[in-house]
Amino acid sequence: MIASLPGVTLWPDECADRYRAAGYWQGYTHGQMLRVRATKHPDRVAVVDATRRVTYGELDERADRLAAGLRERGIAKGDRVVVQLPNIAEHYEVCFALFRLGAVPVFALPSHRLTEIAYFCEFSEATAYLTVDVEAGFDHRALAAEVREKLPDLAVFIAGEPGEFTALPDVDAEPVALDEPSSSDVAFLQLSGGSTGVPKLIPRTHDDYIYSFRASNEICGVAEDTVYMVALPAAHNFPMSSPGALGVFHAGGRVVLARRPSPDEVFPLIERERVTQAPAVPPLALLWLDAAPESSHDLSSLEVLQVGGAKFSEEAARRVRPVLGATLQQVFGMAEGLVNYTRLDDPEEVVVTTQGRPISPDDEVLVVDDEDEPVPPGETGHLLTRGPYTIRGYYRAEEHNARAFTPEGFYRTGDVVRFTAEGNLVVEGRAKDQINRGGEKIAAEEVENHLLAHPAVHDAAVVSMPDDYLGERTCAFVVARGTAPKSRELIKFIRQRGLAGYKVPDRVVFVEQFPQTGVGKTSKRDLREAITRELVPQLPG
Ligand code: OOB
């Protein structure tokens, strides 16, 4: 299929035709989806945040006016716009404005800093950066000023006090007829968790993405009366589409935004808004599970807790129903596409011990050995997948794509899984060089490159170490050049390079040399074992 955006590989025509014929791709865009909802129920509340309640009619109108305003300021169809907003209603207004304009948002997370934001702007050749004034004590205008030093033509829009930049509310014009995008166009670029030196961007089309959340709605029971709480970063794929805020808008339900995910903010919101569903990463689910018994808030409206992004332990999974009175739904998904869910009517054993099964009858899922040969049924292997909402290539990454996809177009997920006899997936591990820190993904190589930039670092190897709360944390093994610097100094150095906080190593260990594999590569397995042995208290005798 010919992509509207250069640097993007989409599905071959015969697949695209098949997905349309099967009714997966229905030929409407996100902008059109909102219009339908707003026409039907203009006065129904679509989004609630800390300060506003926005109806479907208002969201629809604001998207039109913002799109017209952005166009007046030179943002055109096909332009990339880096969007970094916290959980405020403006996030969705901006999304729909850009979708209607046919401009392509690049979704950054609020925790990203100069290194990441400058990279997204440069790599995507963005015309604009849209962010907030201050979030979690960090001034994004200062960051924007630094980015603009490198990229003087970048337009900057700020939700809140704009400082030297343009205030988002001032971007407002009478709606105009727009040359709206086609449903087969790339709607946005999502971030990959990544396992290489630089983050990869994931192109998702209107057709494929809308299919993923429309089908998720059925599996998750999302309907007009759903009240969905987003306490995870709104731009992440999980709260965006699994079933996500977009799924909820599609159904005409209500999205409630929590600015912070802590129980003291989330529990009163559940009570006040009668929240029925919420997505959480495992550490967040644990936090809520621990706080709920002590809480005086009425959480009885909560029907479904979706947990995904990292492996949820069976012990914790078993606590969800007794403690929260809600049905647990495990979600094993990826921004590249494939999403698996346990079903709401699955037996409890399936729900607590597996990560469910794919959304679509046309999700092709293979479990293979190191030579790409299928393993016998029930055995563990690498998960490969292709289907109606799984990408065929990263944005502008030809070389990497040749490794990340098979010649037949299967995406190599890097996950190590097995199928149960009933056809559910169990995630057993990971082959990709990534740390999954409570759902936040860290590419080891990216952090290693930052460490190597320090003059006293000869070599660096970043690995995961087990952690009761986050599942994994990062440990950086370092071979020093000459006298080893203090760990503290290295950590400070990394921070000063302007890197998202979650990527900063939790621990630095200096070693004389790295253990090697048979072929002389650094053995990360040995390093992981070494740090795990050190963390697990040895039993006497
Ligand atoms: C979600 O998306 P990403 O792109 O941040 O991360 C994807 C990776 C998967 O390849 C897998 O390694 C891991 O995160 N993962 C899980 C998991 N869910 C995701 N590992 C074990 N158990 C799970 N339940 O994380 C994401 C996207 C959409 C929905 C939910 C999660």
Side-chain angles (χ1 to χ4, degrees), residues 34 37-38 41-49 52-60 89 92 96 226-228 230 245 248-250 252-257 273:
L34 175 64
R37 274 297 144 203
H41 307 292
D43 299 327
R44 181 172 287 173
V45 173
V47 188
V48 178
D49 74 5
R52 298 161 64 202
R53 304 178 82 77
V54 183
T55 65
Y56 276 92
E58 289 163 346
L59 180 58
D60 184 58
Y92 300 117
F96 282 107
T226 297
V227 183
Y228 183 79
V230 176
V248 173
F249 294 144
H250 194 286
R254 181 175 300 181
V255 171
V256 176
L257 287 166
E273 300 294 332

Side-chain angles (χ1 to χ4, degrees), residues 223-263:
E224 270 179 11
D225 57 357
T226 297
V227 183
Y228 183 79
M229 190 181 58
V230 176
L232 297 173
H236 188 272
N237 194 61
F238 182 14
M240 197 163 146
S241 67
S242 306
L246 292 177
V248 173
F249 294 144
H250 194 286
R254 181 175 300 181
V255 171
V256 176
L257 287 166
R259 189 97 178 226
R260 290 177 307 114
S262 57

Side-chain angles (χ1 to χ4, degrees), residues 236-238 242 308-311 331-336 355 413 415 427 432 436 441:
H236 188 272
N237 194 61
F238 182 14
S242 306
K311 183 88 179 247
V331 190
F332 164 38
M334 50 206 75
E336 286 81 357
Q355 281 65 58
T413 65
D415 293 312
V427 182
K432 52 192 167 190
N436 189 336
K441 315 302 182 320

Side-chain angles (χ1 to χ4, degrees), residues 166-188:
T166 306
L168 198 57
D170 293 344
V171 185
D172 179 64
E174 278 306 311
V176 286
L178 296 165
D179 173 21
E180 285 199 29
S182 146
S183 65
S184 55
D185 285 347
V186 171
F188 58 85

Side-chain angles (χ1 to χ4, degrees), residues 280-346:
V281 289
L284 189 56
L286 286 174
L287 195 67
W288 294 350
L289 283 170
D290 288 345
E294 311 292 317
S295 167
S296 59
H297 291 284
D298 176 8
L299 308 178
S300 62
S301 59
L302 194 65
E303 293 164 6
V304 183
L305 179 73
Q306 278 112 4
V307 180
K311 183 88 179 247
F312 197 35
S313 74
E314 186 183 326
E315 304 81 79
R318 286 193 191 281
R319 291 170 58 203
V320 171
R321 189 182 295 284
V323 174
L324 292 172
T327 300
L328 168 66
Q329 182 166 44
Q330 295 215 37
V331 190
F332 164 38
M334 50 206 75
E336 286 81 357
L338 182 72
V339 180
N340 305 276
Y341 295 100
T342 55
R343 302 313 199 247
L344 298 179
D345 58 358
D346 275 344

